Amino acid sequence: MKKTFKQALALFVSILPLTFTSCIKKAPEAVPQNETVEQTDNPADTIEEQVQPQETLVQAKVLSPKTGLYLSGRDENLHQILSLQYGKNISVVFLDNAPVLLEAENNTYIKTIYDQVEFWIELNSIALQCKNALVLSKTSLYADKEFNLPTDETNSPFRFGDFVFVSTAADDNSDSFDRIYYYDKSSKSVKSAFIKKGLISTRIDDIEVMDCVRQLRKTKRATPRNELFRRASKYKPCQKVAAALEAEKTEKIENNYQDVLNALPGAKYKVNVPELLTVDQSKDPFK
């Protein structure tokens, strides 16, 4: 009996190292499987980080007499929703320092924001980074900063009293020139040009008073004229603009030649000027 027990014990001891060795060999096979699962489940290892473009808003003004604001429809066409008048302020969308443009219907449109809504507006109807200015002296337009290439626009040169827009961009800050924007009626688009420094004014007083002067030249009624003079009296314009306002206080009367002849005292004959102009001057009417 003791011999049998000893034999069984010896057999168990001899089998035990084989079992332990088998477990050691199988255990490492499970490690790569666990690591593979962890790598697959980790999105940082399989998905690249996407960098969003930086969006900035740049101020702009509408310079055309009237332009539309458009939305893109499901039919992939632009549909006008609103219209803006001359001088309206808008914001233009830039992505990574570049404007967002769209080519459609043989025109170029730029993405803009008006009243907290994104629209598309015609590129040639606006000007970026500019403010109101008044022309004080006759000025010619040039296509370059060195004034070597004069433009051939029909509205060049600008004269005293004309309104333009001057660029406020950092690149256009100079002691020798101003870059201006204006609406060209012949091409129906906004254009830019360079003029010599010191020929325009951006003072509010000059701009407001000159606006009153231009309206006074269009109306002869006493009540609106008095209102315009009262409005202009609140400002202190430069000498040249003040002189233009003072000139509007003197009434200018233009008489018709026919009315003058009819008003002559003791005139016995009334001359019909249109008929006189149709008479054959090569013949003597009294023969």
Side-chain angles (χ1 to χ4, degrees), residues 74-91:
R74 293 184 177 179
D75 56 359
E76 298 183 355
N77 293 327
L78 293 179
H79 302 272
Q80 182 173 342
I81 305 299
L82 298 172
S83 61
L84 296 181
Q85 305 292 331
Y86 168 88
K88 280 290 186 179
N89 295 318
I90 58 174
S91 299

